[in-house]
Amino acid sequence: MTTFNKIKELCEQNEQMHVLKYYNELSKEEQEQLLNDLSQIDFSILKKLYSASQTITKRQLHLGDIEPLGDVKNSKELKEQENEELWDFGLQLVKEKKVGIITLAGGQGSRLGFSHPKGMYNIGLPSGKNLFQIHADNILKLEQLSGSNKEKGLVVWYVMTSESTDTETQQYFKENNYLGLQPDQVIFFQQSKLPSLTFDGKLILETKSTISFSPNGNGGIYPALKDCHVLEHMEKSGIEYVHVVGIDNLLCKLADPIFIAYCARSNTQGGAKVVEKSYPDERVGIFCNCKGKVEVVEYSEIDQEISNLKDEMENLVFKHSNIVNHFYTFQYLSDICENWFDEMKYHIAKKQIKCINVDGESAFPEQPNGFKFEKFIFDAFKFASSFSFLQVERNSDFAPIKNKEGSLNDSPNTARDMLSRLHIGYLKSAGAKSFVGEGVCEISSLVSYSGEGLTEIAKREEFNLPIYID
């Protein structure tokens, strides 16, 4: 049976014959494109997606439905000796090659006015480095800290791309010598996608020869790890602990030894770094306990009573924000991919989706015309039998870059300011006295991972800003 006949049979069986309406008027290349798109669709899942779309309910949680997290360790409460022990243990795990890193890098920089993968975006630092370069420097320094140059650990960096970013991302790494890392140390894998559906459950033709797809959310990491054989690679590499982070956090400490060691020593399956909400109505997801299980609830799912609730010390009760900074044991990650992903719910949104109009032309409709589907990475946390939390300071660990330059929050300018304040603080702690001028103070991660080793540099009489210490 030819590919066309197989596809046609599937379309007939699933009442999707409309997608072949224009087939005979397409060029040979366009026909191949359409058949390729259709061959990527798991037709057995279409009814499940449509069924999920018909039961959309906006979860609204009230006091009593959820409880605040219990035992959350605040990094500020770690004693100096405990910090040193965790740091040393974390570096030992790196040296033994037991730690892997996954960076979620499937997003384009469109919200930043940048038409390339977000990881390639130049934040405007004195160094001129982009997010990928900063992450790579983190890894190189971590390896150096873990032991002598001859015996240093090798941290495998798994970079999750998407269909729209994969080719350009891989090309960028090749052209830039993998940013100082070994080629076999950087593993790319592609996030999967799901077809969009009309309100009556039909596939949407984006053009006469293409089907409308959208990324399946950051929860798509789980099937991608399995389908792209990343789990097999981790197992063969002896990786026992995995740190998962987003690409857009400028202050992210990849494979932070203290965080990895804290979770590993707690013998928990999963873990997360959290920061305290800045104010009650901040639009962030929060960690909580729901029916005895760890969950992240979105700001839109909780009422004002929950948002504003304070304890006797006038601190917010529900305050632990999700910053996409997660820890997994390899076994827990494998269990999610193999056993639990199908049990995770779909998050569904009504969208204006590009489609063929009545005139046979591709265009965006004026009103929403269909559903897009995705799963969220944190919806797997409820399957963990144990979970650790480490509360960190926003100004040392979380400077997201989501909005355009000049925006008041989560923008390149706000992230640069946070990095500069942090790095000036590192230098002052090391003994620096005088800073002159205005602009950003940037310390390369190749010089210092998190403020260590700056005593000699801090002896300078003054630091003229802006400055890049390399």
Side-chain angles (χ1 to χ4, degrees):
M1 185 181 290
T2 66
T3 301
F4 173 78
N5 287 335
K6 289 179 182 178
I7 294 294
K8 182 180 178 182
E9 184 177 315
L10 282 169
C11 290
E12 287 176 337
Q13 292 172 352
N14 291 275
E15 301 178 346
Q16 300 287 346
M17 281 296 292
H18 66 285
V19 296
L20 298 174
K21 178 180 177 180
Y22 303 100
Y23 185 81
N24 291 329
E25 63 183 72
L26 300 176
S27 67
K28 184 178 179 181
E29 290 76 16
E30 289 172 329
Q31 288 177 345
E32 290 176 355
Q33 174 66 58
L34 180 59
L35 294 179
N36 180 62
D37 275 9
L38 290 168
S39 67
Q40 295 181 54
I41 295 173
D42 178 1
F43 279 82
S44 66
I45 204 175
L46 295 183
K47 289 183 179 179
K48 184 176 181 180
L49 291 174
Y50 178 64
S51 177
S53 73
Q54 299 308 293
T55 57
I56 297 177
T57 54
K58 191 67 178 178
R59 186 168 69 160
Q60 203 63 41
L61 298 168
H62 305 282
L63 203 58
D65 296 327
I66 59 175
E67 297 178 346
L69 296 177
D71 184 22
V72 176
K73 187 72 171 181
N74 193 320
S75 60
K76 291 193 299 184
E77 297 171 356
L78 292 172
K79 295 179 181 178
E80 184 176 352
Q81 181 179 350
E82 187 178 5
N83 245 324
E84 291 177 358
E85 289 175 354
L86 289 172
W87 176 261
D88 291 342
F89 180 49
L91 289 179
Q92 183 63 32
L93 293 176
V94 170
K95 185 175 182 178
E96 294 172 0
K97 305 179 183 180
K98 293 181 178 180
V99 181
I101 298 167
I102 300 176
T103 295
L104 308 178
Q108 292 274 21
S110 52
R111 286 177 62 183
L112 302 171
F114 182 67
S115 58
H116 303 281
K118 186 183 283 189
M120 293 168 57
Y121 181 74
N122 184 331
I123 314 104
L125 294 170
S127 66
K129 290 186 175 181
N130 62 34
L131 291 162
F132 279 139
Q133 292 172 310
I134 291 167
H135 278 223
D137 286 353
N138 253 235
I139 294 171
L140 287 165
K141 185 61 177 179
L142 187 65
E143 291 178 339
Q144 182 189 35
L145 290 168
S146 70
S148 69
N149 289 332
K150 293 182 180 180
E151 299 177 348
K152 67 183 179 181
L154 183 69
V155 179
V156 182
W157 187 16
Y158 301 93
V159 180
M160 187 174 81
T161 63
S162 64
E163 185 177 49
S164 62
T165 65
D166 185 72
T167 300
E168 193 172 2
T169 298
Q170 293 205 45
Q171 182 179 353
Y172 169 78
F173 272 79
K174 288 177 183 177
E175 290 177 350
N176 290 276
N177 298 315
Y178 292 86
L179 308 179
L181 300 167
Q182 299 299 316
D184 60 355
Q185 182 182 357
V186 185
I187 309 297
F188 300 96
F189 68 105
Q190 193 173 142
Q191 176 182 5
S192 48
K193 56 189 179 180
L194 286 170
S196 305
L197 296 180
T198 64
F199 295 142
D200 56 357
K202 302 298 183 184
L203 292 168
I204 296 175
L205 278 171
E206 185 171 296
T207 69
K208 292 180 180 181
S209 61
T210 57
I211 302 297
S212 174
F213 291 96
S214 60
N216 59 352
N218 56 19
I221 183 177
Y222 301 120
L225 287 172
K226 181 180 177 181
D227 297 342
C228 299
H229 308 291
V230 174
L231 289 177
E232 292 176 24
H233 186 277
M234 288 180 173
E235 187 171 24
K236 289 178 181 177
S237 302
I239 291 172
E240 296 181 15
Y241 307 108
V242 182
H243 190 201
V244 178
V245 299
I247 186 61
D248 58 5
N249 179 8
L250 183 58
L251 297 186
C252 183
K253 301 181 182 76
L254 273 72
D256 178 1
I258 291 175
F259 175 54
I260 299 299
Y262 177 75
C263 293
R265 282 197 168 174
S266 299
N267 291 316
T268 52
Q269 291 184 315
K273 278 188 179 183
V274 295
V275 299
E276 191 168 344
K277 286 177 71 173
S278 297
Y279 50 91
D281 294 328
E282 186 179 7
R283 295 159 70 91
V284 293
I286 57 168
F287 277 97
C288 64
N289 286 316
C290 185
K291 298 179 180 178
K293 299 291 185 181
V294 171
E295 285 199 31
V296 173
V297 299
E298 293 300 297
Y299 60 87
S300 59
E301 295 179 321
I302 57 177
D303 60 22
Q304 284 295 310
E305 185 179 12
I306 293 176
S307 296
N308 294 320
L309 188 64
K310 295 184 178 181
D311 60 21
E312 63 277 4
M313 301 297 292
E314 288 299 303
N315 296 315
L316 291 174
V317 172
F318 293 93
K319 62 183 179 181
H320 297 109
S321 302
N322 172 36
I323 61 172
V324 194
N325 197 315
H326 305 143
F327 164 92
Y328 299 76
T329 63
F330 171 75
Q331 188 57 56
Y332 171 49
L333 191 60
S334 298
D335 286 344
I336 297 171
C337 299
E338 297 286 350
N339 305 317
W340 297 325
F341 178 74
D342 287 343
E343 296 183 40
M344 292 167 57
K345 65 182 179 181
Y346 286 104
H347 296 261
I348 304 160
K350 292 182 179 181
K351 295 285 187 178
Q352 291 167 256
I353 302 169
K354 193 176 183 181
C355 64
I356 294 294
N357 61 23
V358 293
D359 298 319
E361 299 173 345
S362 182
F364 279 99
E366 294 182 1
Q367 299 295 328
N369 62 318
F371 298 109
K372 289 190 176 184
F373 305 85
E374 58 183 357
K375 290 189 177 184
F376 294 161
I377 191 171
F378 52 71
D379 283 334
F381 295 164
K382 65 183 178 183
F383 301 113
S385 60
S386 52
F387 215 88
S388 293
F389 293 96
L390 184 66
Q391 182 175 326
V392 294
E393 295 299 299
R394 186 182 295 257
N395 57 16
S396 67
D397 279 81
F398 188 49
I401 300 173
K402 299 182 182 296
N403 303 318
K404 281 186 177 183
E405 181 77 36
S407 300
L408 296 178
N409 298 298
D410 300 344
S411 61
N413 43 287
T414 59
R416 287 195 303 271
D417 288 346
M418 291 178 70
L419 179 136
S420 184
R421 289 196 296 271
L422 177 64
H423 287 188
I424 286 174
Y426 285 163
L427 289 167
K428 286 183 176 179
S429 294
K433 303 295 184 183
S434 178
F435 293 84
V436 180
E438 296 181 352
V440 173
C441 174
E442 178 188 3
I443 303 171
S444 169
S445 292
L446 298 173
V447 173
S448 180
Y449 179 83
S450 58
E452 78 292 334
L454 295 174
T455 304
E456 287 302 313
I457 293 172
K459 290 179 180 179
R460 296 185 191 180
E461 288 187 10
E462 63 181 25
F463 293 86
N464 294 291
L465 304 178
I467 187 172
Y468 175 52
I469 299 173
D470 192 6

